[in-house]
Amino acid sequence: MSCSPILSHHTPICHEQFFPRGVKSAYAERLLRLSSEAEAALRPGAPRGTLRIGTLESTAAARLPPLLSTYHERYPDVQIELVTGDSTALLHRVRSFDVEAAFISEPFCAEGLEAQEAFTEELALIAPKTMAPIKGARDLRNRTVIAFATGCSYRRILEDWLSMSKVVPERVLELASYHAIVACVAAGSGVAIMPRSVLARGPRGK
């Protein structure tokens, strides 16, 4: 009986020796990473290896620092890698085994995946100071909505809220950071929605 060794990233082999032409090297890298993690899991003692976590950038900035600090103190041999993106992209990464788990925001469809509530995020609708008080969705008629690209859960929440009152934004201005969104709202370009935790820490990232 022969024993098949578990391959790791440090094994000096060429991926093309084991995978047919046309198979992306990223797939080979993923299998090698999983083999390395499996090898680490079989070792006795504290966990070690790489833990890849997907997260919204707002969560990474406002929620994860104390959690990651505590985790690192308990398991110093585990290297944590954060992968950021919107909820749709992160769900895809979990399903394709690019990350072990992900922090995302409702609403989402996680059929076939385990889901557990991590924390409750309070959202705030922000508008220019010169704008009259907002009492309902109809007050946003003919207004520009400033948001991340399609796939952002918070944008979907705002659009669903407007849709319930049959309100369609005049247009949607898509930006790539909360800092830019807040700046445009302050300049009077439109309204936006974001977590209060991000506003409390200052708008950085997604």
Side-chain angles (χ1 to χ4, degrees):
M1 178 181 290
S2 63
C3 179
S4 300
I6 298 177
L7 302 178
S8 71
H9 287 293
H10 303 291
T11 306
I13 61 173
C14 177
H15 297 154
E16 284 74 11
Q17 293 175 346
F18 298 93
F19 297 92
R21 291 185 181 276
V23 176
K24 293 183 179 179
S25 62
Y27 182 69
E29 289 284 357
R30 189 186 313 155
L31 291 181
L32 291 175
R33 179 170 62 84
L34 290 174
S35 295
S36 179
E37 291 168 0
E39 183 181 17
L42 293 175
R43 299 191 192 107
R48 63 179 61 195
T50 301
L51 176 62
R52 301 193 79 208
I53 301 174
T55 176
L56 305 174
E57 289 196 21
S58 57
T59 302
R63 299 286 188 176
L64 294 189
L67 296 178
L68 296 180
S69 177
T70 300
Y71 188 91
H72 179 68
E73 289 178 2
R74 292 183 181 178
Y75 308 109
D77 292 331
V78 176
Q79 179 181 346
I80 297 178
E81 295 182 0
L82 293 183
V83 178
T84 58
D86 59 47
S87 293
T88 301
L90 292 174
L91 275 172
H92 176 72
R93 284 184 174 274
V94 173
R95 288 195 169 100
S96 60
F97 300 97
D98 288 335
V99 297
E100 278 67 54
F103 289 93
I104 62 175
S105 173
E106 294 179 327
F108 62 86
C109 177
E111 184 177 352
L113 300 176
E114 292 288 338
Q116 180 175 341
E117 182 178 331
F119 42 76
T120 300
E121 197 72 83
E122 184 180 359
L123 301 180
L125 181 67
I126 60 174
K129 287 185 177 180
T130 55
M131 186 174 173
I134 300 172
K135 298 179 180 179
R138 289 184 174 85
D139 293 331
L140 299 182
R141 278 199 177 104
N142 302 321
R143 293 284 180 175
T144 295
V145 166
I146 306 172
F148 291 110
T150 302
C152 172
S153 296
Y154 300 145
R155 170 178 173 171
R156 197 176 313 151
I157 290 172
L158 177 57
E159 290 176 337
D160 288 347
W161 180 64
L162 294 174
S163 178
M164 286 190 296
S165 297
K166 298 184 176 4
V167 174
V168 178
E170 183 179 72
R171 70 185 182 112
V172 177
L173 175 60
E174 295 184 351
L175 298 177
S177 74
Y178 280 122
H179 184 85
I181 289 174
V182 170
C184 284
V185 171
S189 300
V191 299
I193 189 172
M194 64 177 56
R196 282 192 182 274
S197 59
V198 172
L199 289 172
R201 296 177 64 91
R204 296 180 60 188
K206 259 185 187 178

